[in-house]
Amino acid sequence: MSQVSLDQPIPDFSAQATSDLTVNSADLRGRNLVIYFYPKDSTPGCTTEGQNFRDLHNQFQALDTDIFGVSRDGLRAHENFRAKQSFPFELISDPDETLCKLFDVIKLKKLYGKEHLGIERSTFLIDRDGVLRREWRKVKVAGHAEEVLEAVKAL
């Protein structure tokens, strides 16, 4: 599967998500889509990022925009994280990194002086026609959800 490119339709994908859902990208056409990739459930930055999207969820919904969070964590961890934080959107489990590779978010990272491959915090905005319109890489959490909301309004 090829990687996504700006101003190009995203390839169709299918992925397992919370609430026993299978997310099929083709089924989401007709609505805008925000997909944000984060390293790990229940860690400080990832929790804050999810909370920020949660707090703006009604505004995204009013703009016909669905939100999905994606990490390599399993569905059980996702369900717990989602319930604890009252996220009104689903979390996609990507343990085999299919979506991570499609969106090219697996990067070499350093933690405590050791290098490892992990998810680079990234967000993608896909329009109603399934075309990738914006991407944010190396995301800083503060103010990010608001910036994404403004980009949706500009579509």
Side-chain angles (χ1 to χ4, degrees), residues 37 45-46 48-49 52-53 120-123 136-148:
F37 289 83
C46 300
T48 300
E49 183 177 25
N52 292 345
F53 278 115
E120 178 182 79
R121 194 180 305 280
S122 307
T123 302
W136 293 263
R137 295 185 181 271
K138 297 182 181 176
V139 165
K140 301 288 181 244
V141 171
H144 177 63
E146 292 84 355
E147 184 181 350
V148 175

Side-chain angles (χ1 to χ4, degrees), residues 91-147:
L91 300 177
I92 293 173
S93 177
D94 192 28
D96 59 4
E97 300 179 355
T98 303
L99 278 185
C100 291
K101 289 174 181 162
L102 177 66
F103 285 88
D104 190 30
V105 299
I106 299 293
K107 303 292 180 186
L108 192 61
K109 300 168 78 175
K110 275 191 177 176
L111 183 65
Y112 306 119
K114 293 196 183 343
E115 291 186 333
H116 69 283
L117 288 174
I119 293 178
E120 178 182 79
R121 194 180 305 280
S122 307
T123 302
F124 300 87
L125 174 56
I126 297 134
D127 71 11
R128 290 172 170 82
D129 299 319
V131 175
L132 178 63
R133 292 299 178 194
R134 289 283 307 269
E135 62 180 22
W136 293 263
R137 295 185 181 271
K138 297 182 181 176
V139 165
K140 301 288 181 244
V141 171
H144 177 63
E146 292 84 355
E147 184 181 350

Side-chain angles (χ1 to χ4, degrees), residues 3-13 25-35 64-66 102-103 123-136 151-152 154-155:
Q3 290 180 344
V4 298
S5 299
L6 270 177
D7 300 320
Q8 296 295 315
I10 62 166
D12 286 338
F13 67 82
S25 57
D27 296 341
L28 301 171
R29 300 257 156 66
R31 292 180 61 80
N32 299 311
L33 184 59
V34 170
I35 301 177
D64 291 329
T65 303
D66 292 323
L102 177 66
F103 285 88
T123 302
F124 300 87
L125 174 56
I126 297 134
D127 71 11
R128 290 172 170 82
D129 299 319
V131 175
L132 178 63
R133 292 299 178 194
R134 289 283 307 269
E135 62 180 22
W136 293 263
V152 171
L155 283 180

